[in-house]
Amino acid sequence: MFDSKGKSYLDGSGGAAVSCLGHGDGDVIAAMSAQMNKLEFAHTGFLTSEPAESLATRLVSHAPEGIEKVYIVSGGSEAVEAALKLARQYMLEIGQPERKHFISRRQSYHGNTLGALGTGGNMWRREPFDPVMVSASHIAPCYAYRLQEDGETGDEYALRAANELEDEILRLGPETVIAFIAEPVVGATAGAVAAARGYFKRIREICDAYGVLLILDEVMCGMGRTGTFFACEQENVRPDIVTIAKGLGGGYQPIGAMLCSGAIHDAIERGSGFFQHGHTYLGHPIACAAANAVVQKLTQGGLVDRSARMGHYLESALDAQFGQHSHVGDIRGRGMFRALELVKDKETKTPFDPELRLAKSIKAKAMDNGLICYPNGGTIDGRNGDHVLLAPPYICTEGQIDELVGKLAKSLEDALQ
Ligand SMILES: Cc1ncc(COP(=O)(O)O)c(C=O)c1O
């Protein structure tokens, strides 16, 4: 990218994990333009459209087992809102109206609208709106670097972390819980935190035992970002509802989607017959045309595989550059979704003083050095801790990854001076 003075920037985070194909992709632009010349808009209250239908079919053909239906919206928060409302309506349709609670995790982010913000676990974002939000209760994230105890194996930790969900369901009353919502790989708030192996398997067992739905929010980590089309493929877990956005449109159009199981769809069809929700721009034909072209490139075009492959290169480059760095406590993530967690003291994992606003300073230094990356503060608990999130386009070359890592190293040095 170039600014108004001609200075160039390497986009190392695709904005916030959006630009999976990079900027200026001719195929996506051509698909949008062709659709614009055919039909620019069709209100889903009256009509469907060919691009919306083919996008839904395409997404389902790559979706986890049991996921059969797609509801196309205009972004991540809308997808999450639709998921929450669908989950509640499902409980009404199956005769369980007493179910009214959502459970999510601390240090998660699910969007900025009141329902999505209410389930999110990022305290500073929630605070001002707390009195007017849909309330949810929060369990701990599965965050091994900070929460796995000395002497505890990865498997033991995964089980302990997942069992918090069962404790919370029992505390609230199992007959009152609608759903548990989580990001398979936590994005903006904690920085590319994947769960310990076995965590989501246990989560699924707990949800099944108490009739609680499992909603996986893949708005940031989905669409090939972690090296598989859906991030949850790597957890071998079957969600009831999945939300996607960001990489689905690759930044070419604002688009998101909520996907649900055939069982949820059928219960509603047999019951009231319609999902009591809607927005004017559902299934927008031009957004769907763009997403069809993006998904085609990700799947048949081999870019999801490339995300996995180049992700390994990025991982090695980060390890080589920062593995011995005295202020890089953890290097983590999957595919083209990686993060560094910064610490004042590596031995004790002590974070920097939040008053230093380290993340903000890294962001500014990186811009000076011609790099766009996505640093954030409050990694540990919404206030303490800093990380830098990287989410480069899957088309990145090895040379561009080397450039990214080099510019990041310089920016860290500049910010830590
Ligand atoms: C996991 C997750 N869910 C939901 C959202 C909200 O998406 P949007 O900003 O498109 O409304 C985001 C945005 O960063 C996200 O990372």
Side-chain angles (χ1 to χ4, degrees), residues 179-203:
F180 174 62
I181 176 167
E183 297 163 80
V185 180
V186 183
T189 43
V193 178
R197 208 159 41 96
Y199 173 83
F200 276 105
K201 180 169 172 283
R202 177 70 189 132
I203 289 285

mmCIF file of all heavy atoms in Angstrom, residues 179-203:
data_model
loop_
_atom_site.group_PDB
_atom_site.id
_atom_site.type_symbol
_atom_site.label_atom_id
_atom_site.label_comp_id
_atom_site.label_asym_id
_atom_site.label_seq_id
_atom_site.Cartn_x
_atom_site.Cartn_y
_atom_site.Cartn_z
ATOM 1 N N ALA A 179 -26.317 -21.678 24.826
ATOM 2 C CA ALA A 179 -25.158 -21.991 23.981
ATOM 3 C C ALA A 179 -23.857 -21.530 24.618
ATOM 4 O O ALA A 179 -23.848 -20.649 25.480
ATOM 5 C CB ALA A 179 -25.307 -21.306 22.617
ATOM 6 N N PHE A 180 -22.792 -22.165 24.173
ATOM 7 C CA PHE A 180 -21.429 -21.724 24.492
ATOM 8 C C PHE A 180 -20.834 -21.206 23.195
ATOM 9 O O PHE A 180 -20.924 -21.862 22.154
ATOM 10 C CB PHE A 180 -20.611 -22.906 25.025
ATOM 11 C CG PHE A 180 -19.149 -22.599 25.252
ATOM 12 C CD1 PHE A 180 -18.746 -21.629 26.164
ATOM 13 C CD2 PHE A 180 -18.162 -23.300 24.562
ATOM 14 C CE1 PHE A 180 -17.401 -21.349 26.379
ATOM 15 C CE2 PHE A 180 -16.810 -23.032 24.771
ATOM 16 C CZ PHE A 180 -16.439 -22.047 25.684
ATOM 17 N N ILE A 181 -20.224 -20.022 23.246
ATOM 18 C CA ILE A 181 -19.607 -19.453 22.034
ATOM 19 C C ILE A 181 -18.124 -19.220 22.270
ATOM 20 O O ILE A 181 -17.726 -18.711 23.323
ATOM 21 C CB ILE A 181 -20.323 -18.151 21.573
ATOM 22 C CG1 ILE A 181 -19.600 -17.533 20.362
ATOM 23 C CG2 ILE A 181 -20.468 -17.130 22.696
ATOM 24 C CD1 ILE A 181 -20.396 -16.448 19.655
ATOM 25 N N ALA A 182 -17.303 -19.617 21.298
ATOM 26 C CA ALA A 182 -15.846 -19.459 21.437
ATOM 27 C C ALA A 182 -15.199 -19.320 20.065
ATOM 28 O O ALA A 182 -15.713 -19.843 19.063
ATOM 29 C CB ALA A 182 -15.258 -20.684 22.144
ATOM 30 N N GLU A 183 -14.059 -18.632 20.046
ATOM 31 C CA GLU A 183 -13.232 -18.581 18.836
ATOM 32 C C GLU A 183 -12.288 -19.793 18.886
ATOM 33 O O GLU A 183 -11.549 -19.941 19.865
ATOM 34 C CB GLU A 183 -12.359 -17.324 18.838
ATOM 35 C CG GLU A 183 -13.100 -16.007 18.819
ATOM 36 C CD GLU A 183 -12.175 -14.848 19.242
ATOM 37 O OE1 GLU A 183 -11.388 -14.379 18.411
ATOM 38 O OE2 GLU A 183 -12.256 -14.428 20.415
ATOM 39 N N PRO A 184 -12.255 -20.623 17.847
ATOM 40 C CA PRO A 184 -11.317 -21.764 17.862
ATOM 41 C C PRO A 184 -9.867 -21.309 18.053
ATOM 42 O O PRO A 184 -9.109 -21.945 18.776
ATOM 43 C CB PRO A 184 -11.525 -22.415 16.499
ATOM 44 C CG PRO A 184 -12.911 -22.030 16.107
ATOM 45 C CD PRO A 184 -13.149 -20.665 16.689
ATOM 46 N N VAL A 185 -9.492 -20.209 17.396
ATOM 47 C CA VAL A 185 -8.199 -19.582 17.672
ATOM 48 C C VAL A 185 -8.513 -18.119 18.007
ATOM 49 O O VAL A 185 -9.039 -17.390 17.160
ATOM 50 C CB VAL A 185 -7.233 -19.671 16.470
ATOM 51 C CG1 VAL A 185 -5.901 -19.006 16.813
ATOM 52 C CG2 VAL A 185 -7.012 -21.126 16.051
ATOM 53 N N VAL A 186 -8.235 -17.725 19.239
ATOM 54 C CA VAL A 186 -8.614 -16.372 19.681
ATOM 55 C C VAL A 186 -7.790 -15.342 18.898
ATOM 56 O O VAL A 186 -6.573 -15.495 18.756
ATOM 57 C CB VAL A 186 -8.373 -16.197 21.195
ATOM 58 C CG1 VAL A 186 -8.828 -14.811 21.649
ATOM 59 C CG2 VAL A 186 -9.095 -17.278 21.986
ATOM 60 N N GLY A 187 -8.474 -14.301 18.417
ATOM 61 C CA GLY A 187 -7.783 -13.350 17.541
ATOM 62 C C GLY A 187 -7.333 -12.082 18.223
ATOM 63 O O GLY A 187 -6.333 -12.069 18.950
ATOM 64 N N ALA A 188 -8.096 -11.013 18.027
ATOM 65 C CA ALA A 188 -7.656 -9.667 18.365
ATOM 66 C C ALA A 188 -7.336 -9.467 19.847
ATOM 67 O O ALA A 188 -6.398 -8.754 20.190
ATOM 68 C CB ALA A 188 -8.734 -8.670 17.942
ATOM 69 N N THR A 189 -8.097 -10.091 20.739
ATOM 70 C CA THR A 189 -7.960 -9.757 22.153
ATOM 71 C C THR A 189 -6.801 -10.466 22.848
ATOM 72 O O THR A 189 -6.227 -9.932 23.790
ATOM 73 C CB THR A 189 -9.262 -10.071 22.918
ATOM 74 O OG1 THR A 189 -9.722 -11.333 22.465
ATOM 75 C CG2 THR A 189 -10.305 -9.018 22.673
ATOM 76 N N ALA A 190 -6.471 -11.686 22.400
ATOM 77 C CA ALA A 190 -5.395 -12.414 23.087
ATOM 78 C C ALA A 190 -4.219 -12.726 22.162
ATOM 79 O O ALA A 190 -3.141 -13.080 22.639
ATOM 80 C CB ALA A 190 -5.929 -13.697 23.706
ATOM 81 N N GLY A 191 -4.430 -12.599 20.828
ATOM 82 C CA GLY A 191 -3.312 -12.788 19.898
ATOM 83 C C GLY A 191 -3.043 -14.238 19.531
ATOM 84 O O GLY A 191 -2.147 -14.869 20.079
ATOM 85 N N ALA A 192 -3.826 -14.747 18.576
ATOM 86 C CA ALA A 192 -3.589 -16.055 17.946
ATOM 87 C C ALA A 192 -3.401 -17.186 18.964
ATOM 88 O O ALA A 192 -2.456 -17.966 18.887
ATOM 89 C CB ALA A 192 -2.388 -15.982 17.002
ATOM 90 N N VAL A 193 -4.323 -17.263 19.914
ATOM 91 C CA VAL A 193 -4.233 -18.314 20.943
ATOM 92 C C VAL A 193 -5.082 -19.522 20.522
ATOM 93 O O VAL A 193 -6.319 -19.459 20.527
ATOM 94 C CB VAL A 193 -4.714 -17.803 22.315
ATOM 95 C CG1 VAL A 193 -4.659 -18.924 23.349
ATOM 96 C CG2 VAL A 193 -3.871 -16.626 22.774
ATOM 97 N N ALA A 194 -4.411 -20.597 20.154
ATOM 98 C CA ALA A 194 -5.115 -21.848 19.843
ATOM 99 C C ALA A 194 -5.292 -22.630 21.139
ATOM 100 O O ALA A 194 -4.473 -22.538 22.052
ATOM 101 C CB ALA A 194 -4.303 -22.654 18.834
ATOM 102 N N ALA A 195 -6.358 -23.409 21.207
ATOM 103 C CA ALA A 195 -6.626 -24.189 22.430
ATOM 104 C C ALA A 195 -5.670 -25.374 22.515
ATOM 105 O O ALA A 195 -5.158 -25.848 21.499
ATOM 106 C CB ALA A 195 -8.064 -24.688 22.405
ATOM 107 N N ALA A 196 -5.461 -25.850 23.745
ATOM 108 C CA ALA A 196 -4.655 -27.061 23.937
ATOM 109 C C ALA A 196 -5.387 -28.246 23.307
ATOM 110 O O ALA A 196 -6.623 -28.259 23.233
ATOM 111 C CB ALA A 196 -4.461 -27.298 25.437
ATOM 112 N N ARG A 197 -4.611 -29.227 22.844
ATOM 113 C CA ARG A 197 -5.190 -30.381 22.147
ATOM 114 C C ARG A 197 -6.189 -31.115 23.057
ATOM 115 O O ARG A 197 -5.905 -31.371 24.228
ATOM 116 C CB ARG A 197 -4.069 -31.330 21.730
ATOM 117 C CG ARG A 197 -4.367 -32.147 20.499
ATOM 118 C CD ARG A 197 -3.077 -32.647 19.875
ATOM 119 N NE ARG A 197 -2.160 -33.076 20.928
ATOM 120 C CZ ARG A 197 -2.028 -34.341 21.330
ATOM 121 N NH1 ARG A 197 -2.709 -35.287 20.771
ATOM 122 N NH2 ARG A 197 -1.173 -34.644 22.280
ATOM 123 N N GLY A 198 -7.362 -31.403 22.510
ATOM 124 C CA GLY A 198 -8.370 -32.134 23.279
ATOM 125 C C GLY A 198 -9.402 -31.223 23.946
ATOM 126 O O GLY A 198 -10.451 -31.684 24.396
ATOM 127 N N TYR A 199 -9.107 -29.916 24.010
ATOM 128 C CA TYR A 199 -10.014 -28.975 24.682
ATOM 129 C C TYR A 199 -11.403 -28.982 24.028
ATOM 130 O O TYR A 199 -12.420 -29.161 24.698
ATOM 131 C CB TYR A 199 -9.389 -27.579 24.632
ATOM 132 C CG TYR A 199 -10.272 -26.454 25.136
ATOM 133 C CD1 TYR A 199 -10.375 -26.169 26.494
ATOM 134 C CD2 TYR A 199 -10.999 -25.661 24.248
ATOM 135 C CE1 TYR A 199 -11.171 -25.134 26.951
ATOM 136 C CE2 TYR A 199 -11.794 -24.613 24.697
ATOM 137 C CZ TYR A 199 -11.883 -24.353 26.046
ATOM 138 O OH TYR A 199 -12.668 -23.322 26.498
ATOM 139 N N PHE A 200 -11.430 -28.791 22.700
ATOM 140 C CA PHE A 200 -12.735 -28.671 22.044
ATOM 141 C C PHE A 200 -13.491 -30.001 21.994
ATOM 142 O O PHE A 200 -14.720 -30.010 21.952
ATOM 143 C CB PHE A 200 -12.590 -28.036 20.653
ATOM 144 C CG PHE A 200 -12.551 -26.530 20.723
ATOM 145 C CD1 PHE A 200 -11.365 -25.831 20.545
ATOM 146 C CD2 PHE A 200 -13.698 -25.809 21.009
ATOM 147 C CE1 PHE A 200 -11.334 -24.444 20.634
ATOM 148 C CE2 PHE A 200 -13.675 -24.418 21.098
ATOM 149 C CZ PHE A 200 -12.495 -23.738 20.910
ATOM 150 N N LYS A 201 -12.760 -31.096 22.035
ATOM 151 C CA LYS A 201 -13.427 -32.411 22.073
ATOM 152 C C LYS A 201 -14.229 -32.519 23.384
ATOM 153 O O LYS A 201 -15.380 -32.925 23.401
ATOM 154 C CB LYS A 201 -12.366 -33.513 21.981
ATOM 155 C CG LYS A 201 -12.939 -34.905 22.001
ATOM 156 C CD LYS A 201 -11.866 -35.929 21.637
ATOM 157 C CE LYS A 201 -12.371 -37.344 21.837
ATOM 158 N NZ LYS A 201 -12.389 -37.750 23.245
ATOM 159 N N ARG A 202 -13.594 -32.121 24.470
ATOM 160 C CA ARG A 202 -14.265 -32.145 25.781
ATOM 161 C C ARG A 202 -15.408 -31.121 25.825
ATOM 162 O O ARG A 202 -16.475 -31.395 26.374
ATOM 163 C CB ARG A 202 -13.226 -31.868 26.884
ATOM 164 C CG ARG A 202 -13.787 -31.791 28.267
ATOM 165 C CD ARG A 202 -14.269 -33.150 28.795
ATOM 166 N NE ARG A 202 -14.984 -32.988 30.042
ATOM 167 C CZ ARG A 202 -16.166 -33.539 30.307
ATOM 168 N NH1 ARG A 202 -16.757 -34.333 29.430
ATOM 169 N NH2 ARG A 202 -16.764 -33.331 31.467
ATOM 170 N N ILE A 203 -15.187 -29.942 25.220
ATOM 171 C CA ILE A 203 -16.247 -28.926 25.160
ATOM 172 C C ILE A 203 -17.485 -29.511 24.466
ATOM 173 O O ILE A 203 -18.618 -29.341 24.914
ATOM 174 C CB ILE A 203 -15.739 -27.665 24.406
ATOM 175 C CG1 ILE A 203 -14.709 -26.904 25.243
ATOM 176 C CG2 ILE A 203 -16.887 -26.766 23.953
ATOM 177 C CD1 ILE A 203 -15.235 -26.106 26.403
#
